[in-house]
Amino acid sequence: MQTQQQAIAHFSAKLAYETDVADVHAALEANEDFVLVDTRSDAAWEQGHIPGAVHLPTAQIPRRAHELIPAGTAVVTYCWSPGCNGATRAALAFAQAGYRVKEMLGGIEYWIREGFDVATAQGLRSEAVDARVAPRGAACGC
């Protein structure tokens, strides 16, 4: 059976390395000091990405991270969805390169499902909030 201290350590560690789309959106709105990194392919980036994100596919992180993102900068990675571990692999690559890093849970799928803007070649677009992931017109209060 787990102890209270084990549970506290476990959930504290999760929060140190994971974030969600609502928290990332709020942090972007507040101009917090971090770089959001889209780790998907060129084709996926062109299909649409989170405004303000930097595009750096996972395989390129070891050789390009330091030219695009200053050392010491906090990084948040994202990929497609909860069914994709690309953001996890990218977060590992950033950690190995010496960055403080978190993974954005849910990926761009949940960003879209929560009704946040996506940048495309045609401009910004958004979809209606999916009530299965966030209440319409209000913060989730999680």
Side-chain angles (χ1 to χ4, degrees):
M1 185 68 152
Q2 73 179 359
T3 68
Q4 179 183 16
Q5 286 307 109
Q6 289 170 322
I8 291 169
H10 171 78
F11 292 111
S12 294
K14 282 185 65 132
L15 290 172
Y17 300 109
E18 298 174 349
T19 188
D20 65 22
V21 297
D23 288 344
V24 169
H25 184 266
L28 288 169
E29 292 286 308
N31 292 315
E32 290 185 18
D33 189 24
F34 71 101
V35 174
L36 181 61
V37 178
D38 185 317
T39 67
R40 300 171 304 144
S41 68
D42 292 342
W45 171 263
E46 293 299 323
Q47 185 176 321
H49 54 274
I50 296 173
V54 170
H55 183 226
L56 185 56
T58 301
Q60 297 176 19
I61 293 169
R63 70 176 169 23
R64 295 193 58 221
H66 290 292
E67 75 185 48
L68 297 174
I69 302 167
T73 303
V75 172
V76 174
T77 62
Y78 76 90
C79 197
W80 277 108
S81 70
C84 171
N85 68 1
T88 304
R89 282 188 257 173
L92 175 59
F94 274 108
Q96 290 168 331
Y99 289 88
R100 292 176 293 124
V101 63
K102 286 187 177 187
E103 175 186 2
M104 184 179 84
L105 301 176
I108 197 166
E109 175 189 347
Y110 275 70
W111 183 270
I112 292 167
R113 291 177 76 178
E114 290 199 24
F116 299 134
D117 286 341
V118 174
T120 69
Q122 293 75 38
L124 296 179
R125 69 169 175 83
S126 63
E127 297 182 11
V129 174
D130 181 340
R132 292 170 293 188
V133 299
R136 291 184 178 99
C140 86
C142 298

